[in-house]
Amino acid sequence: MNPSQDVAVKCSGVTKCYGVGDAKVIALRGIDLDVYRGELLILAGPSGCGKTTLISIIGGILKRDAGICTVLGKNLEDLNTGDRARFRGRSIGFVFQAFNLLPTLTAAENVAVPLLISGEARKSADQRARAVLDQVGLSEREDALPGQLSGGQQQRVAIARALVHNPEIIICDEPTSSLDHATGHAMMEILRNVAQAPDRALVVVTHDSRIYEFADRIAHMDDGKIVDVSVGAEQAHAQ
Ligand SMILES: Nc1ncnc2c1ncn2[C@@H]1O[C@H](COP(=O)(O)OP(=O)(O)O)[C@@H](O)[C@H]1O
Ligand SMILES: [Mg+2]
């Protein structure tokens, strides 16, 4: 990989505040960060340092206050609401910290939702959803409701849903935070095996240093800033 060639996400001077007056919280204080195609970038840092805010801006879910964030060469702020939603639907897979699965739909139905929204026929959407659930090791639980699944299994459904439309960018917010160490490790292996691809950028947010070993690079955040970008453990050993 020669990541310097192909930037998928570029943030320059991105800032964000919440609230006003005494309630004002500065969440991002000027973020400069590039994410390359083909890499797994871990965005690390303590709770409250701004990780979710940053990936929400990258994912087009939240507006920045200042600075520029381009995703696949597009400045999301230049797009109108409909175009931004379509771009997001096509190009970005987002795994939310709370999974956000629809409780009355089965695992396969949850995974098929992004395809149905983009106009795919029900039968082929269902087939594709089941194929991706198989990839994440859930082929036996495809027809279960989220409430019948463990936390780790729900997480895998959420990952399958983010992958189903084959987006160029995948963003996962704390994918191992509700899992024990062994299950978290297995989840990262699934992510790396199933989601990592030469043309795809994978951003994984965590405050768990035990999963740093899966990263190509680790961007460390503190108090709304990127304070360091380091090379992941395996890459460090290979050099
Ligand atoms: N909707 C919100 N309204 C007000 N403050 C918020 C909101 N979301 C996050 N914050 C604050 O912004 C800061 C960064 O939050 P967040 O991006 O969620 O951090 P992290 O994901 O690293 O835990 C924190 O101080 C948090 O309390
Ligand atoms: Mg967070």
Side-chain angles (χ1 to χ4, degrees):
M1 178 178 72
N2 183 357
S4 60
Q5 303 296 313
D6 211 348
V7 176
V9 177
K10 188 169 192 63
C11 298
S12 311
V14 171
T15 67
K16 179 73 187 176
C17 292
Y18 295 105
V20 289
D22 288 348
K24 186 167 160 174
V25 176
I26 303 176
L28 299 179
R29 300 173 184 271
I31 298 287
D32 299 319
L33 179 69
D34 291 346
V35 188
Y36 305 112
R37 283 183 194 264
E39 80 169 335
L40 192 164
L41 178 102
I42 282 189
L43 186 60
S47 184
C49 73
K51 305 180 298 295
T52 297
T53 302
L54 178 57
I55 56 164
S56 302
I57 290 171
I58 293 171
I61 296 164
L62 187 69
K63 288 198 161 192
R64 79 220 174 347
D65 291 338
I68 295 177
C69 180
T70 55
V71 180
L72 303 173
K74 279 194 163 57
N75 184 346
L76 297 185
E77 308 266 330
D78 290 344
L79 303 180
N80 64 35
T81 310
D83 286 344
R84 187 161 56 242
R86 270 184 290 279
F87 175 79
R88 224 173 37 219
R90 199 171 54 239
S91 306
I92 300 173
F94 209 105
V95 182
F96 295 92
Q97 193 167 3
F99 311 147
N100 293 3
L101 299 176
L102 297 166
T104 57
L105 300 185
T106 66
E109 288 166 345
N110 265 285
V111 175
V113 164
L115 299 176
L116 297 174
I117 288 173
S118 66
E120 191 156 333
R122 190 164 287 273
K123 187 154 180 231
S124 63
D126 181 62
Q127 283 169 348
R128 168 84 184 135
R130 288 173 191 276
V132 184
L133 281 169
D134 197 20
Q135 283 185 297
V136 298
L138 270 187
S139 51
E140 315 222 309
R141 306 295 282 141
E142 316 178 314
D143 297 310
L145 295 170
Q148 300 167 325
L149 300 173
S150 70
Q153 289 173 331
Q154 290 182 52
Q155 180 69 278
R156 283 188 272 163
V157 176
I159 290 170
R161 184 180 55 186
L163 278 165
V164 75
H165 55 298
N166 205 16
E168 287 163 280
I169 297 172
I170 301 219
I171 301 172
C172 303
D173 199 356
E174 310 251 11
T176 64
S177 63
S178 59
L179 308 177
D180 63 65
H181 182 53
T183 315
H185 213 264
M187 192 67 58
M188 287 304 297
E189 272 175 353
I190 286 170
L191 258 182
R192 188 167 62 181
N193 294 340
V194 177
Q196 206 168 12
D199 56 352
R200 179 183 283 149
L202 192 50
V203 180
V204 176
V205 166
T206 192
H207 62 258
D208 177 4
S209 60
R210 293 177 303 186
I211 65 166
Y212 288 1
E213 64 183 280
F214 290 93
D216 293 306
R217 290 189 307 145
I218 305 153
H220 298 269
M221 280 185 81
D222 195 19
D223 193 21
K225 285 195 180 125
I226 305 270
V227 290
D228 182 42
V229 181
S230 60
V231 175
E234 285 182 18
Q235 282 64 33
H237 289 146
Q239 279 172 3

